[in-house]
Amino acid sequence: MNQPPKVVVIGSLNMDLVVKARRAPKRGETVMGDEIHFIPGGKGANQAVGLARLGAEISMIGAVGSDSFGRELKRALKKTGVNITGVKEHDSQATGVASILLAEGDNSIVVVPGANALCLPEDLEDNERMIAEADLVLLQLEIPLATVEYGIQLAKKHGKIVMLNPAPAQSLSQELLSQVDYLTPNRSELALLAGMPEESSVAQGINRLLDTGVTCCVTTLGAEGAAFMEKEGSITKILGHQVPVVDTTGAGDAFNAGLAYALAQQKSIREAAEFAVEVSALAVTKFGAQGGMPRLREVEEHFTLGQYSERGDI
């Protein structure tokens, strides 16, 4: 039996305060909500749970406050099978919180980082052995950029695959981007990183990022699927799947978990992207970012051969 892939996730842990309403309020308006839920979240934790559900061996490096939210987030990760020895508790900051409004089939999110701001480079030094033993290191941008940079440096030092989900969107240096093996922006993040208008083609944005030194750029396209391109390669689009949508909150995190899982198993980028699109499609059929993450068995039972097409006009 093949050994499960080992992945280290360096990132955020938040408690998601999810409000469901019939519609989003206009500026200055108050509307009545239908439901509120307190759900473990944070891009880093979501992706760690997604990977664990798929069967990967996961270690998480991050930070929470010494409060009830922090304790609940750690319990949720541990219950899923994530190694949480790299998650520190801090008295000086409350656990990060994300306020999420679900309305009209979409979501809008406000994140208060809290203790995530205390996930520092020295925490990575304390857990360097985890990184040295991993197949792939996955990072996002809800923790300090200095920590992301140092995490990438340590991963490269130990010859690991580096995957960066550049969310929330912010400008990144060419020095950082040149060390990334797989960059996974959505359309708006792609435009910001490439320094181009959002109406520019995905192909133009990906080409510009490849020029910075990124080895491969994989752009998520929502319900349309995803597109990827490697250096010296042609752009390929992976078609999305039609599914009943319940909650889109964790779709991007599910995609990144699926992609990281397949890449850590040394699958080709096309195979990995096809698998990631399938994982994210199943994730939106359930409520909650972490609760919606599918298990490997569910993906294998629901999908047969992934759909893809090569096009030059994306």
Coordinates of all heavy atoms in Angstrom, one line a residue, residues 18 73 79 82 89 91 118 125 128 172 198 201 282 298:
V18 N -20.7 32.7 10.5 CA -21.4 32.6 9.2 C -22.8 33.0 9.4 O -23.6 32.4 10.2 CB -21.3 31.2 8.6 CG1 -22.0 31.1 7.3 CG2 -19.8 30.7 8.5
L73 N -10.8 25.4 17.7 CA -10.1 25.3 16.4 C -9.1 24.1 16.5 O -9.0 23.3 15.6 CB -9.5 26.6 16.0 CG -10.4 27.7 15.7 CD1 -9.5 29.0 15.3 CD2 -11.3 27.4 14.6
K79 N -9.3 16.3 15.7 CA -10.4 15.4 15.4 C -10.3 14.9 14.0 O -10.6 13.7 13.7 CB -11.8 16.0 15.7 CG -12.9 15.0 15.5 CD -14.2 15.7 15.9 CE -15.4 14.7 15.7 NZ -16.7 15.4 16.0
V82 N -5.3 16.1 12.0 CA -4.1 17.0 11.7 C -3.2 17.1 13.0 O -3.7 17.2 14.1 CB -4.7 18.4 11.4 CG1 -3.5 19.4 11.2 CG2 -5.6 18.4 10.2
E89 N -0.5 28.7 21.2 CA -1.5 29.5 21.8 C -0.9 30.8 22.4 O 0.2 30.7 23.0 CB -2.2 28.7 23.0 CG -3.2 27.7 22.5 CD -4.0 27.1 23.6 OE1 -4.1 27.7 24.7 OE2 -4.6 26.0 23.4
D91 N -1.6 34.4 24.8 CA -2.4 35.2 25.7 C -2.7 36.6 25.2 O -3.7 37.2 25.6 CB -1.8 35.2 27.1 CG -1.7 33.8 27.7 OD1 -2.6 33.0 27.4 OD2 -0.7 33.6 28.4
L118 N 0.7 36.6 15.0 CA 1.8 36.1 15.8 C 2.4 34.8 15.3 O 3.1 34.2 16.1 CB 1.3 36.0 17.3 CG 0.8 37.3 17.9 CD1 0.3 37.0 19.3 CD2 1.9 38.4 17.9
E125 N 11.2 27.9 12.7 CA 12.5 27.3 13.1 C 12.2 26.2 14.1 O 12.9 25.1 14.1 CB 13.4 28.4 13.7 CG 13.9 29.3 12.7 CD 14.8 30.4 13.3 OE1 14.8 30.5 14.6 OE2 15.5 31.1 12.6
E128 N 11.1 23.1 12.1 CA 11.8 22.8 10.9 C 11.8 21.4 10.5 O 11.8 21.0 9.3 CB 13.2 23.4 10.9 CG 13.9 23.3 9.6 CD 15.3 24.0 9.6 OE1 15.6 24.7 10.5 OE2 16.0 23.9 8.6
L172 N 3.3 40.8 -4.3 CA 4.4 40.0 -3.9 C 5.7 40.3 -4.7 O 5.6 40.6 -5.9 CB 4.1 38.5 -4.0 CG 2.9 38.0 -3.2 CD1 2.5 36.6 -3.5 CD2 3.1 38.2 -1.7
E198 N -8.4 43.6 -14.3 CA -9.1 42.3 -14.2 C -9.7 41.8 -15.5 O -9.9 40.6 -15.6 CB -10.2 42.5 -13.1 CG -9.7 42.3 -11.7 CD -10.8 41.9 -10.7 OE1 -11.6 41.1 -11.0 OE2 -10.8 42.6 -9.6
S201 N -7.0 38.9 -20.1 CA -7.2 37.5 -20.2 C -6.4 36.7 -19.2 O -5.3 37.2 -18.7 CB -6.8 37.0 -21.6 OG -5.4 37.0 -21.8
L282 N -17.3 19.1 -5.2 CA -18.1 18.4 -4.1 C -18.2 19.3 -2.9 O -19.1 19.2 -2.1 CB -17.4 17.1 -3.8 CG -17.6 15.9 -4.7 CD1 -17.0 14.6 -4.2 CD2 -19.1 15.7 -5.0
E298 N -15.4 9.7 -1.5 CA -16.5 10.4 -2.1 C -16.1 11.0 -3.5 O -16.9 10.9 -4.4 CB -16.9 11.6 -1.2 CG -17.5 11.2 0.1 CD -17.8 12.5 1.0 OE1 -18.8 13.1 0.8 OE2 -16.9 12.8 1.8

